[in-house]
Amino acid sequence: MAVLTPGGAAAPAPARRVLLACDEEQLDSTLALRRVTAHLGDLFPVGPASDGAPFDGPPPDAALVCDDDAATARLLELGVPVVHLQSGHRVLPAGATADAAAGTADRALRRLHRPGWLPGPWSPAAGARPTGALAPVRLTRNRVRAGALLLLSARGVPEREADAFAAGPLRALVRAAVARTGRCEVVCDTGLAAVRCALDGLADGVRVSRAAEVDVDALHAAADVFVAAPTLGALALAQARRAPLVFLPPLGSAQRELAERVAQVVPVPLATDPGDPSLWVPPEAGGAGQWNALDPGLDDLRGAQRVARTLRQLSLAPL
């Protein structure tokens, strides 16, 4: 749409501004935000202000908030329409209700990352609409790949359990990954200091990064071996690219429950023995590949596009 200037010349309409925010200490949240952002088209993305304010300048036309209930509540109070996306698998505490879990996001347009093939039962989601898998925008891997990518999530995991895993099994797995594949990219969402400490002194070829500061999807495209915590973001990444996936031993109740549900449909091995050579040379996709077990009718990878479309519509016609 064009706008007439006082002199009669047509000027382009101002770009619609959308605020993008996520929980930077949750792997699924950072992956979800990046994947939806890739489909924003002509929307102009802005981030929260550096001084802690919700945004700089005039209010954005709409906002996408992944998982951060406090940010959603603050934006709604300021009159900004919000698409609130729950990106990760959650387990409601005993006696909790969906309304309590939704918190302050109940006035937002709620979306829920839920692959159609993943077995239930599902906890009520207070009216949230399932999206399908939030796949990366690029569905292929590099022609030449090397090394291992290890995605670790400690979000919601008891600190003692996460620290014990980092100091013992994680260190052994990373050492084996370097020995077998030449290098290992370790990406984690929270507990970065403990992971760095646990991996200190290992041979060259190990790099530890914070999930919010790297492009996980690009790292996966360049890696030959993929080992990840049981999370929805990791599942969507491997499924979309029909790439072999190995699960890390699940940490915390949400990861354990998700791994159990996946095992009902897709045979994902667990990295419990670093000395097992099959972990580091997994079978390629195709033939009897693990993703061929999915029902094609439930293999929906358009979740990120759906969320972006909802955000675009909301920016044009706020509710």
Side-chain angles (χ1 to χ4, degrees):
M1 182 181 71
V3 178
L4 289 179
T5 65
R16 296 187 303 280
R17 299 166 64 248
V18 294
L19 177 74
L20 304 175
C22 69
D23 178 355
E24 292 191 348
E25 293 196 343
Q26 182 180 342
L27 175 64
D28 278 341
S29 194
T30 59
L31 294 178
L33 188 70
R34 181 181 292 273
R35 292 171 187 172
V36 174
T37 300
H39 296 282
L40 292 183
D42 59 351
L43 298 179
F44 183 76
V46 298
S50 58
D51 61 1
F55 46 81
D56 283 322
D61 297 286
L64 169 66
V65 179
C66 299
D67 305 287
D68 189 338
D69 285 330
T72 290
R74 194 172 181 188
L75 289 166
L76 290 172
E77 289 171 359
L78 294 171
V80 178
V82 178
V83 176
H84 184 93
L85 173 63
Q86 178 183 317
S87 68
H89 182 70
R90 298 183 185 179
V91 178
L92 289 181
T97 66
D99 290 338
T104 56
D106 55 354
R107 290 185 289 125
L109 289 181
R110 292 178 50 78
R111 297 295 181 264
L112 175 69
H113 185 192
R114 182 188 296 173
W117 58 266
L118 193 63
W122 297 98
S123 301
R129 182 178 300 176
T131 61
L134 297 173
V137 66
R138 177 187 171 194
L139 299 184
T140 59
R141 294 197 290 166
N142 297 355
R143 189 177 297 251
V144 177
R145 303 182 298 274
L149 171 62
L150 192 151
L151 290 188
L152 175 64
S153 177
R155 182 66 168 176
V157 176
E159 185 176 358
R160 182 176 297 180
E161 182 181 1
D163 289 349
F165 177 77
L170 177 64
R171 184 176 174 87
L173 282 165
V174 171
R175 182 188 291 113
V178 174
R180 295 277 185 172
T181 72
R183 65 173 183 260
C184 184
E185 293 273 0
V186 180
V187 179
C188 55
D189 48 15
T190 187
L192 186 64
V195 171
R196 288 191 188 280
C197 181
L199 301 182
D200 185 47
L202 288 182
D204 293 340
V206 179
R207 184 172 70 168
V208 181
S209 304
R210 183 169 175 253
E213 297 172 354
V214 294
D215 185 342
V216 169
D217 296 345
L219 291 176
H220 177 260
D224 194 38
V225 176
F226 185 34
V227 184
T231 62
L232 289 176
L235 272 173
L237 180 54
Q239 176 196 350
R241 292 177 173 167
R242 316 301 285 186
L245 171 65
V246 175
F247 273 157
L248 290 169
L251 303 177
S253 58
Q255 290 185 24
R256 284 190 283 271
E257 184 181 275
L258 179 58
E260 290 172 1
R261 294 192 186 195
V262 172
Q264 298 176 38
V265 182
V266 181
V268 179
L270 280 179
T272 53
D273 178 9
D276 182 356
S278 68
L279 297 180
W280 312 113
V281 190
E284 289 296 330
Q290 60 193 151
W291 300 110
N292 290 347
L294 295 182
D295 179 350
L298 300 176
D299 191 9
D300 186 352
L301 303 174
R302 296 171 294 176
Q305 291 96 314
R306 287 194 180 95
V307 175
R309 187 181 309 120
T310 299
L311 185 63
R312 186 177 298 107
Q313 292 168 344
L314 189 62
S315 72
L316 288 168
L319 299 177

